[in-house]
Amino acid sequence: MLERIRTLMEEKGEYRRQLARAAALPERYRQSFEALQQYLWPCAAGDGRDVLEAQGELLDLMEEGAAEGRTLPELMGEDVAGFCDSLLQGRRLWIEDQARKTNRRIAKRRNHT
């Protein structure tokens, strides 16, 4: 139990550090980051650790791009949602959890009829 609390506190600290990093981005990057957060977080499953990692990678890219003077389309391409989807590949997602739960519920009903 204590280990779980410690992990949650570390994750909360990481989230806060990421928000501070985002606040330090140039305005257009910060606004875009906030919009991308709204796309990423509804995908989170479980404790959200996978999306927190993806968000950190996004921040790394945006900080590097801002330092190099690159535009957001240069960093992410024109399909920003597709770019975010690629960040989420291989991570635990809410929709996948829901698909597994649905399949289990339907299988249970089939087995009981």
Side-chain angles (χ1 to χ4, degrees), residues 16-102:
R16 287 182 176 158
R17 284 187 295 278
Q18 287 182 3
L19 292 182
R21 289 171 59 195
L25 289 169
E27 184 69 15
R28 69 179 189 274
Y29 281 85
R30 186 186 55 74
Q31 289 174 346
S32 295
F33 175 80
E34 290 169 357
L36 295 173
Q37 262 189 313
Q38 291 176 10
Y39 183 85
L40 291 173
W41 279 102
C43 298
D47 60 10
R49 186 174 301 141
D50 285 341
V51 173
L52 187 63
E53 272 181 32
Q55 181 174 279
E57 291 171 14
L58 176 62
L59 276 166
D60 291 344
L61 178 71
M62 293 181 102
E63 287 169 336
E64 190 176 303
E68 295 172 356
R70 297 175 66 195
T71 66
L72 291 166
E74 287 176 320
L75 294 175
M76 297 177 219
E78 295 299 324
D79 181 7
V80 178
F83 173 81
C84 287
D85 290 343
S86 70
L87 281 176
L88 295 171
Q89 278 186 332
R91 300 180 196 270
R92 184 174 170 203
L93 304 177
W94 177 85
I95 193 70
E96 293 166 354
D97 281 1
Q98 293 307 306
R100 280 189 291 278
K101 288 177 186 176
T102 299

